[in-house]
Amino acid sequence: MSAYLIGKMNITDQARYDNYKRLTPDIVKAHGGRFISRGGQKFFLEGEAEGRRVVIVEFPSVEAAQTFYNSEEYKKARCLREGAADDMQLFIVEGMDN
């Protein structure tokens, strides 16, 4: 069953965040994931508007998403993100069986 890693954050240092962004695609791919959305324009239909950047990554399973997040490669990338973004929220949502 697929799983979706969803991140929301405010970018505070774009140059530093860009360094992080350059590393993540290869790490995501190595863990079977793919970006669904990476900071695209948002269209609000109900509720409060979300000002933070939103990123959605699809993985083949919750376990694959967790393995990605806990991998040594991603831990190193996360270090680059430190000081580049705040109000960070990152979570995994389980997909549905088809």
Coordinates of all heavy atoms in Angstrom, one line a residue:
M1 N 0.8 -1.2 0.0 CA 0.0 0.0 0.0 C 0.9 1.2 0.0 O 1.8 1.3 0.8 CB -0.9 0.0 1.2 CG -1.7 1.2 1.4 SD -2.7 1.2 2.9 CE -3.2 -0.5 3.1
S2 N 0.6 2.2 -0.9 CA 1.4 3.4 -1.0 C 1.3 4.2 0.3 O 0.4 4.1 1.1 CB 1.1 4.2 -2.2 OG -0.3 4.6 -2.1
A3 N 2.3 5.1 0.5 CA 2.2 6.0 1.6 C 2.8 7.4 1.1 O 3.6 7.4 0.2 CB 3.1 5.5 2.7
Y4 N 2.3 8.4 1.7 CA 2.7 9.8 1.3 C 3.4 10.5 2.5 O 2.8 10.6 3.6 CB 1.5 10.5 0.8 CG 0.8 9.8 -0.3 CD1 -0.1 8.8 -0.1 CD2 1.3 10.1 -1.6 CE1 -0.6 8.1 -1.2 CE2 0.7 9.4 -2.7 CZ -0.2 8.4 -2.5 OH -0.7 7.7 -3.5
L5 N 4.6 10.9 2.2 CA 5.3 11.8 3.2 C 5.0 13.2 2.8 O 5.1 13.6 1.7 CB 6.8 11.5 3.1 CG 7.6 12.3 4.1 CD1 8.7 11.4 4.7 CD2 8.3 13.5 3.4
I6 N 4.4 13.9 3.8 CA 4.0 15.3 3.5 C 4.8 16.2 4.4 O 4.9 16.0 5.6 CB 2.5 15.5 3.8 CG1 1.7 14.5 2.9 CG2 2.0 16.9 3.6 CD1 0.2 14.4 3.1
G7 N 5.3 17.3 3.9 CA 6.1 18.2 4.6 C 5.5 19.6 4.4 O 5.1 20.0 3.3
K8 N 5.5 20.4 5.5 CA 5.1 21.8 5.4 C 6.2 22.6 6.2 O 6.6 22.2 7.3 CB 3.8 22.0 6.1 CG 2.6 21.2 5.5 CD 1.3 21.5 6.3 CE 0.2 20.7 5.7 NZ -1.0 21.0 6.5
M9 N 6.6 23.7 5.6 CA 7.7 24.5 6.2 C 7.7 25.9 5.7 O 7.2 26.1 4.6 CB 9.0 23.8 6.0 CG 9.6 23.9 4.6 SD 8.9 22.8 3.3 CE 9.0 21.2 4.0
N10 N 8.3 26.8 6.4 CA 8.6 28.2 6.0 C 10.0 28.2 5.7 O 10.9 27.8 6.5 CB 8.3 29.2 7.1 CG 6.8 29.4 7.3 OD1 6.0 29.5 6.4 ND2 6.4 29.5 8.6
I11 N 10.4 28.7 4.5 CA 11.8 28.8 4.1 C 12.3 30.1 4.6 O 11.7 31.2 4.4 CB 11.9 28.8 2.6 CG1 11.2 27.6 1.9 CG2 13.4 28.8 2.1 CD1 11.6 26.2 2.5
T12 N 13.4 30.0 5.4 CA 14.0 31.2 6.0 C 15.3 31.6 5.4 O 15.7 32.7 5.5 CB 14.2 31.0 7.5 OG1 15.0 29.9 7.7 CG2 12.8 30.9 8.2
D13 N 15.9 30.7 4.7 CA 17.2 30.9 4.0 C 17.2 30.1 2.7 O 17.5 28.9 2.7 CB 18.4 30.4 4.9 CG 19.7 30.7 4.3 OD1 19.9 30.8 3.1 OD2 20.7 30.8 5.1
Q14 N 16.8 30.8 1.6 CA 16.6 30.1 0.4 C 17.8 29.5 -0.2 O 17.8 28.3 -0.7 CB 16.0 31.1 -0.7 CG 15.5 30.4 -2.0 CD 14.4 29.5 -1.7 OE1 13.3 29.8 -1.2 NE2 14.5 28.2 -2.1
A15 N 19.0 30.1 -0.1 CA 20.2 29.6 -0.6 C 20.6 28.3 0.1 O 20.9 27.3 -0.5 CB 21.3 30.6 -0.5
R16 N 20.4 28.3 1.4 CA 20.7 27.1 2.2 C 19.7 26.0 1.9 O 20.1 24.8 1.7 CB 20.7 27.4 3.7 CG 21.2 26.3 4.6 CD 21.2 26.9 6.0 NE 21.7 25.8 6.9 CZ 22.8 25.8 7.5 NH1 23.7 26.7 7.3 NH2 23.2 24.7 8.2
Y17 N 18.4 26.3 1.7 CA 17.4 25.4 1.4 C 17.6 24.8 0.0 O 17.4 23.6 -0.2 CB 16.0 26.0 1.5 CG 14.9 25.0 1.5 CD1 14.5 24.3 2.6 CD2 14.2 24.7 0.3 CE1 13.5 23.3 2.6 CE2 13.2 23.8 0.3 CZ 12.9 23.1 1.4 OH 11.9 22.1 1.4
D18 N 18.1 25.6 -0.9 CA 18.4 25.1 -2.3 C 19.4 24.0 -2.2 O 19.4 23.0 -3.0 CB 18.8 26.2 -3.2 CG 17.7 27.1 -3.6 OD1 16.5 26.7 -3.4 OD2 17.9 28.2 -4.1
N19 N 20.4 24.1 -1.3 CA 21.4 23.0 -1.2 C 20.8 21.7 -0.7 O 21.1 20.6 -1.3 CB 22.5 23.4 -0.2 CG 23.4 24.5 -0.7 OD1 23.6 24.6 -1.9 ND2 23.9 25.3 0.2
Y20 N 19.8 21.8 0.2 CA 19.1 20.6 0.7 C 18.3 20.1 -0.5 O 18.3 18.9 -0.7 CB 18.2 21.1 1.8 CG 17.1 20.1 2.1 CD1 17.3 19.0 2.8 CD2 15.8 20.4 1.8 CE1 16.2 18.1 3.1 CE2 14.7 19.6 2.1 CZ 15.0 18.4 2.8 OH 13.9 17.6 3.1
K21 N 17.6 20.9 -1.2 CA 16.7 20.5 -2.4 C 17.5 19.7 -3.4 O 17.0 18.8 -4.1 CB 16.0 21.7 -3.0 CG 14.8 22.1 -2.3 CD 14.1 23.3 -2.9 CE 14.2 23.5 -4.4 NZ 13.6 24.7 -4.9
R22 N 18.8 20.1 -3.6 CA 19.6 19.4 -4.7 C 19.9 18.0 -4.3 O 20.0 17.1 -5.2 CB 20.9 20.2 -4.9 CG 20.7 21.4 -5.8 CD 22.1 21.9 -6.2 NE 22.7 22.8 -5.2 CZ 22.3 24.1 -5.1 NH1 21.3 24.6 -5.8 NH2 22.9 24.9 -4.1
L23 N 20.0 17.7 -3.0 CA 20.3 16.3 -2.6 C 19.1 15.4 -2.5 O 19.3 14.2 -2.7 CB 20.9 16.4 -1.2 CG 22.3 17.0 -1.0 CD1 22.7 17.0 0.4 CD2 23.3 16.3 -1.9
T24 N 18.0 15.9 -2.2 CA 16.8 15.0 -1.9 C 16.3 14.1 -3.0 O 15.9 13.0 -2.8 CB 15.7 15.8 -1.2 OG1 15.3 16.9 -2.0 CG2 16.1 16.3 0.1
P25 N 16.3 14.6 -4.3 CA 15.7 13.7 -5.3 C 16.3 12.4 -5.5 O 15.6 11.4 -5.6 CB 15.8 14.6 -6.6 CG 15.8 16.0 -6.1 CD 16.6 15.9 -4.8
D26 N 17.6 12.3 -5.4 CA 18.3 11.0 -5.6 C 18.1 10.1 -4.4 O 18.0 8.9 -4.5 CB 19.8 11.3 -5.8 CG 20.2 11.8 -7.1 OD1 19.4 11.7 -8.1 OD2 21.3 12.4 -7.3
I27 N 18.0 10.7 -3.2 CA 17.7 9.9 -2.0 C 16.3 9.4 -2.0 O 16.1 8.2 -1.7 CB 18.0 10.8 -0.7 CG1 19.4 11.3 -0.7 CG2 17.7 9.9 0.5 CD1 19.7 12.4 0.3
V28 N 15.4 10.2 -2.4 CA 14.0 9.8 -2.5 C 13.9 8.6 -3.5 O 13.3 7.6 -3.2 CB 13.1 11.0 -2.9 CG1 11.7 10.5 -3.4 CG2 12.9 12.0 -1.8
K29 N 14.5 8.8 -4.7 CA 14.4 7.8 -5.7 C 15.1 6.5 -5.2 O 14.6 5.4 -5.5 CB 15.1 8.3 -7.0 CG 15.0 7.4 -8.1 CD 15.6 8.0 -9.4 CE 15.5 7.0 -10.6 NZ 16.0 7.6 -11.8
A30 N 16.2 6.5 -4.5 CA 16.9 5.4 -4.0 C 16.0 4.5 -3.1 O 16.2 3.3 -2.9 CB 18.2 5.7 -3.3
H31 N 15.0 5.2 -2.5 CA 14.1 4.5 -1.5 C 12.7 4.2 -2.1 O 11.8 4.0 -1.4 CB 14.0 5.3 -0.2 CG 15.3 5.3 0.6 ND1 15.6 4.3 1.4 CD2 16.3 6.1 0.6 CE1 16.7 4.5 2.0 NE2 17.2 5.7 1.4
G32 N 12.7 4.3 -3.5 CA 11.5 3.9 -4.2 C 10.4 5.0 -4.2 O 9.3 4.8 -4.6
G33 N 10.8 6.2 -3.9 CA 9.8 7.3 -3.8 C 9.9 8.2 -5.0 O 10.8 8.1 -5.9
R34 N 8.8 9.0 -5.1 CA 8.8 10.0 -6.2 C 8.0 11.3 -5.7 O 7.1 11.1 -4.9 CB 8.2 9.5 -7.5 CG 6.7 9.2 -7.3 CD 6.1 8.6 -8.6 NE 4.7 8.5 -8.5 CZ 3.8 9.2 -9.1 NH1 4.1 10.2 -9.9 NH2 2.5 9.0 -8.9
F35 N 8.5 12.4 -6.1 CA 7.8 13.7 -5.7 C 6.5 13.8 -6.4 O 6.4 13.6 -7.7 CB 8.7 14.9 -6.0 CG 9.8 15.1 -5.1 CD1 11.1 14.6 -5.4 CD2 9.6 15.7 -3.9 CE1 12.1 14.8 -4.5 CE2 10.6 15.9 -3.0 CZ 11.9 15.4 -3.3
I36 N 5.4 14.1 -5.7 CA 4.1 14.3 -6.3 C 3.9 15.8 -6.4 O 3.4 16.3 -7.4 CB 3.0 13.8 -5.4 CG1 3.1 12.2 -5.2 CG2 1.6 14.1 -5.9 CD1 3.0 11.5 -6.5
S37 N 4.3 16.6 -5.4 CA 4.3 18.0 -5.4 C 5.5 18.5 -4.6 O 5.8 18.0 -3.6 CB 3.0 18.5 -4.8 OG 2.9 20.0 -4.9
R38 N 6.1 19.6 -5.1 CA 7.3 20.1 -4.5 C 7.2 21.7 -4.4 O 7.9 22.4 -5.1 CB 8.5 19.7 -5.2 CG 9.8 19.8 -4.4 CD 10.9 19.1 -5.1 NE 12.1 19.0 -4.2 CZ 13.3 18.8 -4.5 NH1 13.6 18.6 -5.8 NH2 14.3 18.8 -3.6
G39 N 6.3 22.1 -3.6 CA 6.1 23.6 -3.4 C 5.3 24.2 -4.5 O 5.4 25.4 -4.7
G40 N 4.4 23.5 -5.1 CA 3.6 24.1 -6.2 C 2.5 25.0 -5.6 O 2.3 25.1 -4.4
Q41 N 1.9 25.7 -6.5 CA 0.9 26.7 -6.1 C -0.3 26.0 -5.5 O -0.7 24.9 -5.9 CB 0.4 27.5 -7.4 CG -0.5 28.6 -7.0 CD -0.9 29.4 -8.3 OE1 -0.4 29.2 -9.4 NE2 -1.8 30.4 -8.1
K42 N -0.8 26.6 -4.4 CA -1.9 26.1 -3.6 C -3.2 26.8 -4.0 O -3.2 28.0 -4.2 CB -1.6 26.1 -2.2 CG -0.4 25.4 -1.7 CD -0.1 25.5 -0.3 CE 0.4 26.8 0.2 NZ 1.7 27.2 -0.1
F43 N -4.3 26.1 -4.0 CA -5.6 26.7 -4.3 C -6.5 26.2 -3.1 O -6.9 25.1 -3.0 CB -6.2 26.2 -5.6 CG -5.3 26.5 -6.8 CD1 -4.3 25.6 -7.1 CD2 -5.4 27.7 -7.5 CE1 -3.4 25.9 -8.2 CE2 -4.5 28.0 -8.5 CZ -3.6 27.1 -8.9
F44 N -6.9 27.2 -2.3 CA -7.6 26.9 -1.1 C -9.1 26.9 -1.3 O -9.7 27.8 -2.0 CB -7.3 27.9 0.0 CG -5.9 27.8 0.4 CD1 -4.9 28.6 -0.1 CD2 -5.4 26.8 1.3 CE1 -3.6 28.5 0.2 CE2 -4.1 26.7 1.6 CZ -3.2 27.6 1.1
L45 N -9.8 25.8 -0.9 CA -11.2 25.6 -1.1 C -12.0 25.8 0.2 O -13.1 26.3 0.2 CB -11.5 24.3 -1.7 CG -10.8 24.0 -3.0 CD1 -11.0 22.6 -3.5 CD2 -11.2 25.0 -4.1
E46 N -11.4 25.4 1.3 CA -12.1 25.5 2.6 C -11.0 25.7 3.7 O -9.9 25.3 3.5 CB -12.9 24.3 3.0 CG -14.1 24.1 2.0 CD -15.0 22.9 2.5 OE1 -15.1 22.7 3.7 OE2 -15.6 22.3 1.6
G47 N -11.4 26.3 4.8 CA -10.5 26.4 5.9 C -9.5 27.6 5.7 O -9.5 28.3 4.7
E48 N -8.5 27.7 6.7 CA -7.5 28.7 6.6 C -6.5 28.4 5.6 O -6.1 27.3 5.3 CB -6.8 28.8 8.0 CG -7.7 29.4 9.1 CD -6.9 29.7 10.4 OE1 -5.7 30.1 10.2 OE2 -7.4 29.4 11.4
A49 N -6.0 29.5 5.0 CA -5.0 29.3 4.0 C -3.7 28.9 4.6 O -3.4 29.3 5.7 CB -4.8 30.7 3.2
E50 N -3.0 28.0 4.0 CA -1.7 27.5 4.4 C -0.6 28.3 3.7 O -0.4 28.2 2.5 CB -1.6 26.0 4.1 CG -0.2 25.4 4.4 CD 0.1 25.4 5.9 OE1 -0.5 24.7 6.7 OE2 1.1 26.2 6.3
G51 N 0.2 29.0 4.5 CA 1.3 29.8 3.9 C 2.6 29.1 3.7 O 3.5 29.5 2.9
R52 N 2.7 28.0 4.3 CA 4.0 27.2 4.3 C 4.1 26.5 2.9 O 3.2 26.2 2.3 CB 4.1 26.2 5.4 CG 4.2 26.9 6.8 CD 4.2 25.8 7.9 NE 2.9 25.2 8.0 CZ 2.6 24.2 8.9 NH1 3.6 23.8 9.7 NH2 1.4 23.7 8.9
R53 N 5.4 26.2 2.6 CA 5.7 25.4 1.4 C 5.2 24.0 1.7 O 5.3 23.5 2.8 CB 7.2 25.4 1.2 CG 7.7 24.5 0.1 CD 9.2 24.5 0.1 NE 9.8 23.5 -0.8 CZ 9.9 23.7 -2.1 NH1 9.6 24.9 -2.6 NH2 10.4 22.8 -2.9
V54 N 4.6 23.3 0.7 CA 4.1 22.0 0.9 C 4.8 21.1 -0.1 O 4.8 21.4 -1.3 CB 2.5 21.9 0.7 CG1 2.0 20.5 0.8 CG2 1.8 22.8 1.7
V55 N 5.3 19.9 0.4 CA 5.9 18.9 -0.4 C 5.2 17.6 -0.1 O 5.0 17.3 1.0 CB 7.4 18.8 0.0 CG1 8.1 17.7 -0.8 CG2 8.1 20.2 -0.3
I56 N 4.9 16.9 -1.2 CA 4.3 15.5 -1.1 C 5.2 14.5 -1.9 O 5.5 14.8 -3.0 CB 2.9 15.5 -1.6 CG1 2.0 16.6 -0.9 CG2 2.3 14.1 -1.5 CD1 0.7 16.8 -1.6
V57 N 5.6 13.5 -1.2 CA 6.4 12.4 -1.8 C 5.7 11.1 -1.6 O 5.2 10.7 -0.5 CB 7.8 12.3 -1.1 CG1 8.7 11.3 -1.8 CG2 8.5 13.7 -1.1
E58 N 5.5 10.4 -2.7 CA 4.9 9.0 -2.7 C 5.9 8.0 -2.5 O 7.0 8.0 -3.2 CB 4.1 8.8 -3.9 CG 3.4 7.5 -4.0 CD 2.6 7.2 -5.3 OE1 3.2 7.5 -6.3 OE2 1.5 6.8 -5.2
F59 N 5.7 7.0 -1.6 CA 6.5 5.9 -1.4 C 5.7 4.6 -1.6 O 4.5 4.6 -1.4 CB 7.2 5.9 0.0 CG 8.3 6.9 0.1 CD1 8.0 8.1 0.6 CD2 9.6 6.6 -0.3 CE1 9.0 9.1 0.7 CE2 10.6 7.5 -0.1 CZ 10.3 8.8 0.4
P60 N 6.3 3.5 -1.9 CA 5.5 2.2 -2.0 C 4.9 1.7 -0.8 O 3.9 1.0 -0.8 CB 6.5 1.2 -2.6 CG 7.9 1.8 -2.4 CD 7.7 3.3 -2.2
S61 N 5.4 2.2 0.4 CA 4.8 1.7 1.7 C 5.2 2.7 2.8 O 6.1 3.5 2.6 CB 5.3 0.3 2.0 OG 6.7 0.4 2.3
V62 N 4.5 2.5 3.9 CA 4.9 3.3 5.1 C 6.3 3.0 5.5 O 7.1 3.9 5.8 CB 3.9 3.1 6.3 CG1 4.4 3.7 7.6 CG2 2.5 3.6 6.0
E63 N 6.7 1.7 5.4 CA 8.0 1.3 5.8 C 9.1 1.9 4.9 O 10.1 2.3 5.4 CB 8.1 -0.3 5.8 CG 7.3 -1.0 6.8 CD 5.8 -1.0 6.4 OE1 5.4 -0.8 5.2 OE2 5.0 -1.3 7.3
A64 N 8.8 2.0 3.6 CA 9.8 2.6 2.7 C 9.9 4.1 3.1 O 11.0 4.6 3.0 CB 9.3 2.5 1.3
A65 N 8.8 4.8 3.4 CA 8.9 6.2 3.8 C 9.7 6.4 5.1 O 10.6 7.3 5.2 CB 7.5 6.8 3.9
Q66 N 9.5 5.5 6.0 CA 10.2 5.6 7.3 C 11.7 5.3 7.1 O 12.6 5.9 7.7 CB 9.6 4.6 8.3 CG 8.3 5.0 8.8 CD 7.6 4.0 9.6 OE1 7.7 2.8 9.4 NE2 6.8 4.4 10.6
T67 N 12.0 4.3 6.2 CA 13.4 3.9 5.9 C 14.1 5.1 5.3 O 15.3 5.4 5.6 CB 13.5 2.7 5.0 OG1 12.9 1.6 5.7 CG2 14.9 2.3 4.7
F68 N 13.4 5.8 4.3 CA 14.0 7.0 3.7 C 14.3 8.0 4.8 O 15.4 8.5 4.8 CB 13.0 7.6 2.7 CG 13.2 9.0 2.4 CD1 14.2 9.5 1.6 CD2 12.3 10.0 3.1 CE1 14.4 10.8 1.4 CE2 12.5 11.3 2.9 CZ 13.5 11.8 2.0
Y69 N 13.3 8.3 5.6 CA 13.5 9.4 6.6 C 14.7 9.1 7.6 O 15.4 10.0 7.9 CB 12.2 9.6 7.4 CG 12.4 10.7 8.4 CD1 12.3 12.0 8.0 CD2 12.6 10.4 9.7 CE1 12.5 13.1 8.9 CE2 12.8 11.4 10.7 CZ 12.7 12.7 10.3 OH 12.9 13.8 11.2
N70 N 14.8 7.8 7.9 CA 15.9 7.4 8.9 C 17.2 7.0 8.2 O 18.1 6.7 9.0 CB 15.3 6.2 9.7 CG 14.2 6.7 10.6 OD1 14.3 7.7 11.3 ND2 13.1 5.9 10.6
S71 N 17.3 7.1 6.9 CA 18.5 6.7 6.2 C 19.6 7.7 6.5 O 19.4 8.9 6.8 CB 18.3 6.7 4.7 OG 18.1 8.0 4.2
E72 N 20.9 7.2 6.5 CA 22.0 8.0 6.7 C 22.1 9.2 5.7 O 22.5 10.3 6.0 CB 23.3 7.2 6.7 CG 23.5 6.3 7.9 CD 23.4 7.1 9.2 OE1 24.1 8.1 9.4 OE2 22.7 6.6 10.2
E73 N 21.8 8.8 4.4 CA 21.8 9.9 3.4 C 20.9 11.0 3.7 O 21.2 12.2 3.5 CB 21.5 9.2 2.0 CG 22.3 8.1 1.6 CD 21.9 6.7 2.1 OE1 20.9 6.7 2.8 OE2 22.5 5.8 1.7
Y74 N 19.7 10.7 4.1 CA 18.7 11.8 4.4 C 19.0 12.5 5.7 O 18.8 13.7 5.8 CB 17.3 11.2 4.4 CG 16.3 12.4 4.5 CD1 16.2 13.3 3.4 CD2 15.5 12.6 5.6 CE1 15.4 14.4 3.5 CE2 14.6 13.7 5.6 CZ 14.5 14.6 4.6 OH 13.7 15.6 4.7
K75 N 19.6 11.8 6.6 CA 20.0 12.5 7.9 C 21.1 13.6 7.5 O 21.0 14.7 8.1 CB 20.6 11.5 8.9 CG 19.6 10.7 9.6 CD 20.3 9.7 10.5 CE 19.3 8.8 11.1 NZ 19.9 7.8 12.0
K76 N 22.0 13.3 6.6 CA 23.0 14.3 6.2 C 22.3 15.5 5.4 O 22.6 16.6 5.6 CB 24.0 13.6 5.2 CG 24.9 12.7 6.0 CD 25.8 12.0 5.0 CE 26.6 10.9 5.8 NZ 27.5 10.1 4.9
A77 N 21.3 15.1 4.6 CA 20.6 16.2 3.9 C 19.8 17.1 4.9 O 19.8 18.3 4.7 CB 19.6 15.6 2.9
R78 N 19.2 16.4 5.9 CA 18.5 17.2 6.9 C 19.4 18.2 7.6 O 18.9 19.3 8.0 CB 17.8 16.3 7.9 CG 16.6 15.6 7.3 CD 15.7 14.9 8.4 NE 16.3 14.5 9.6 CZ 16.4 13.3 10.0 NH1 15.9 12.3 9.3 NH2 16.9 13.0 11.2
C79 N 20.6 17.9 7.8 CA 21.6 18.8 8.4 C 21.7 20.1 7.6 O 21.8 21.2 8.2 CB 22.9 18.1 8.6 SG 23.0 16.9 9.9
L80 N 21.6 20.0 6.3 CA 21.7 21.1 5.4 C 20.4 22.0 5.5 O 20.5 23.2 5.3 CB 21.9 20.7 4.0 CG 23.2 20.1 3.6 CD1 23.2 19.7 2.1 CD2 24.3 21.0 3.9
R81 N 19.3 21.4 5.9 CA 18.1 22.1 6.0 C 18.0 22.9 7.3 O 17.3 23.9 7.4 CB 16.9 21.1 6.0 CG 15.5 21.7 5.8 CD 14.4 20.7 5.9 NE 14.3 20.2 7.2 CZ 13.9 19.0 7.5 NH1 13.7 18.1 6.5 NH2 13.9 18.5 8.7
E82 N 18.8 22.5 8.3 CA 18.8 23.2 9.6 C 19.2 24.7 9.4 O 20.1 25.0 8.7 CB 19.8 22.5 10.6 CG 19.3 21.2 11.1 CD 20.3 20.5 12.0 OE1 21.2 21.2 12.5 OE2 20.2 19.3 12.2
G83 N 18.3 25.5 9.9 CA 18.6 27.0 9.8 C 18.1 27.5 8.5 O 18.2 28.7 8.2
A84 N 17.5 26.7 7.6 CA 17.0 27.1 6.3 C 15.5 27.2 6.3 O 14.9 27.8 5.4 CB 17.5 26.2 5.2
A85 N 14.9 26.5 7.2 CA 13.4 26.4 7.3 C 13.0 26.3 8.7 O 13.6 25.7 9.6 CB 12.9 25.2 6.5
D86 N 11.8 26.9 9.0 CA 11.2 26.7 10.4 C 9.8 26.4 10.2 O 9.2 26.2 9.1 CB 11.5 28.0 11.2 CG 10.8 29.2 10.7 OD1 9.9 29.1 9.8 OD2 11.1 30.3 11.2
D87 N 9.1 26.2 11.4 CA 7.7 25.8 11.4 C 7.5 24.6 10.6 O 6.6 24.4 9.9 CB 6.8 27.0 10.9 CG 5.3 26.8 11.4 OD1 5.1 25.9 12.3 OD2 4.5 27.4 10.8
M88 N 8.5 23.6 10.8 CA 8.5 22.4 10.0 C 7.5 21.4 10.6 O 7.4 21.2 11.8 CB 9.9 21.8 10.1 CG 10.2 20.6 9.3 SD 10.3 21.1 7.6 CE 10.7 19.5 6.9
Q89 N 6.8 20.8 9.7 CA 5.9 19.7 10.0 C 6.1 18.6 8.9 O 6.0 18.9 7.7 CB 4.4 20.2 10.0 CG 3.4 19.1 10.4 CD 2.0 19.7 10.4 OE1 1.7 20.5 9.5 NE2 1.2 19.3 11.4
L90 N 6.4 17.4 9.4 CA 6.6 16.3 8.4 C 5.9 15.1 9.0 O 6.0 14.7 10.1 CB 8.1 16.1 8.4 CG 8.7 15.2 7.2 CD1 8.4 15.9 5.9 CD2 10.2 15.0 7.4
F91 N 5.1 14.4 8.1 CA 4.3 13.3 8.5 C 4.1 12.3 7.4 O 4.2 12.7 6.2 CB 3.0 13.7 9.2 CG 2.1 14.5 8.4 CD1 1.1 14.0 7.7 CD2 2.3 15.9 8.4 CE1 0.2 14.8 6.9 CE2 1.4 16.7 7.7 CZ 0.4 16.2 6.9
I92 N 3.7 11.1 7.7 CA 3.4 10.1 6.7 C 1.9 9.8 6.8 O 1.4 9.6 7.9 CB 4.2 8.8 6.9 CG1 5.7 9.1 6.8 CG2 3.8 7.7 6.0 CD1 6.6 8.0 7.3
V93 N 1.3 9.7 5.6 CA -0.1 9.4 5.5 C -0.2 8.1 4.7 O 0.3 8.0 3.6 CB -1.0 10.5 4.8 CG1 -2.4 10.0 4.6 CG2 -0.9 11.8 5.6
E94 N -0.9 7.1 5.3 CA -1.0 5.8 4.6 C -2.0 6.0 3.4 O -3.1 6.6 3.6 CB -1.6 4.8 5.6 CG -1.4 3.4 5.2 CD -1.8 2.5 6.3 OE1 -2.9 2.6 7.0 OE2 -1.0 1.5 6.6
G95 N -1.7 5.4 2.3 CA -2.6 5.4 1.1 C -3.6 4.4 1.2 O -3.8 3.6 2.2
M96 N -4.4 4.2 0.2 CA -5.5 3.2 0.2 C -5.1 2.1 -0.7 O -4.4 2.2 -1.7 CB -6.8 3.9 -0.4 CG -7.3 5.0 0.5 SD -8.7 5.9 -0.2 CE -9.9 4.5 -0.5
D97 N -5.7 0.9 -0.4 CA -5.5 -0.3 -1.3 C -6.4 0.0 -2.5 O -7.5 0.5 -2.4 CB -6.0 -1.5 -0.6 CG -5.0 -2.1 0.4 OD1 -3.8 -1.8 0.2 OD2 -5.5 -2.7 1.4
N98 N -5.9 -0.4 -3.7 CA -6.6 -0.2 -4.9 C -7.4 -1.4 -5.3 O -7.1 -2.5 -5.1 CB -5.7 0.2 -6.1 CG -5.2 1.6 -5.9 OD1 -5.8 2.5 -5.3 ND2 -4.0 1.9 -6.4

